[in-house]
Amino acid sequence: MPPIALTGRPAGPTAVGALRVVVDEPFALLRTGLLRTLADAGHTPLATGDDPGGALAATVAAHRPDVVVAAAGRLQEVVALRRERPATPVLVLSRRAEAHHVPQLLAAGGRGTGYLLHRRIGDEAEFLDALTRVARGGTVLDPDAVTRALRAHEAHDDLAQLSPREREVLALMAEGLSNAGIARSLVLSTATVEKRVAGVFAKLGLEPDGVANRRVLAVLRYLRAAGDCGSSSTCAIRSAPRCALTSTGAVPSTARVAR
């Protein structure tokens, strides 16, 4: 299955300037590769995970980076960091997909969130694109981690509980429309759309912690029910080019979640 990125605006060589990056990775070989890749791309690595016991929050406070790259072994520190400094984007790297990682990371809130498996970052361009998207406030998630998280969460077909109107609203959410945009599209009041969206969240069992993250998770459920994300290397959620979900159930190569 090709990589799926739930991301911010498409990255590119001129999308952002040089990034100040804290790299908190205790695995020396991987850390060395990340540092070289970042430096070669014109970014500035500010600190590394030479000391696995070091305090991530203290490092971030000292360096004030544009984005943090952290090992999944430091997930609890990452969660604490997101709650303390929600404006600091974080990209988490993991050797294997764990069912609880993605939900825990999203539930922590904050802007700019990423989670990728090691095997997905072998392509330097793919890694740098993900890093840039996260730094811009987007969300990038590894497809295998998403699948594992969704399977763990879904005890039954939650989407079957949605009314036809709620499914229509969810489909428009997957296209990236805001509540106001959905209201215009369906010729409804914004208050009515908000009520439908709340119904979607309730029926999908999504807790009211962080509306933006609930929106991402709801769209993930919709995309998984509809099928794979096509043949493209990424599926972009939020601020990517808009495309429609077809009546045949095909999933677009790009989709976005408005926040």
Side-chain angles (χ1 to χ4, degrees), residues 16-36:
V16 295
L19 297 171
R20 292 158 48 83
V21 187
V22 161
V23 178
D24 187 2
E25 171 55 62
F27 186 44
L29 186 60
L30 177 58
R31 183 174 68 245
T32 299
L34 291 172
L35 295 177
R36 184 185 65 248

Side-chain angles (χ1 to χ4, degrees), residues 35-175:
L35 295 177
R36 184 185 65 248
T37 297
L38 290 169
D40 289 347
H43 300 309
T44 305
L46 297 174
T48 70
D50 297 282
D51 176 12
L56 179 58
T59 300
V60 171
H63 294 281
R64 297 186 179 278
D66 297 308
V67 60
V68 173
V69 176
R74 307 295 294 278
L75 188 60
Q76 294 308 311
E77 286 199 53
V78 169
V79 168
L81 175 67
R82 299 317 303 274
R83 291 171 178 163
E84 180 181 337
R85 296 177 176 273
T88 301
V90 179
L91 174 60
V92 174
L93 306 180
S94 180
R95 281 179 285 181
R96 61 181 182 276
E98 298 287 353
H100 66 282
H101 281 178
V102 169
Q104 197 170 354
L105 187 58
L106 289 176
R111 67 177 293 277
T113 303
Y115 183 93
L116 293 178
L117 297 181
H118 286 184
R119 63 175 176 271
R120 301 288 185 188
I121 62 175
D123 185 325
E124 291 186 359
E126 186 78 33
F127 166 70
L128 291 171
D129 180 72
L131 183 76
T132 301
R133 291 176 185 271
V134 170
R136 296 189 72 150
T139 302
V140 180
L141 304 176
D142 191 281
D144 290 346
V146 168
T147 298
R148 185 176 289 270
L150 291 175
R151 284 176 178 169
H153 184 76
E154 294 176 347
H156 50 82
D157 183 10
D158 294 323
L159 294 182
Q161 302 179 61
L162 301 182
S163 69
R165 180 63 86 184
E166 287 169 340
R167 290 181 66 90
E168 193 172 11
V169 167
L170 180 55
L172 291 175
M173 286 167 59
E175 289 187 31

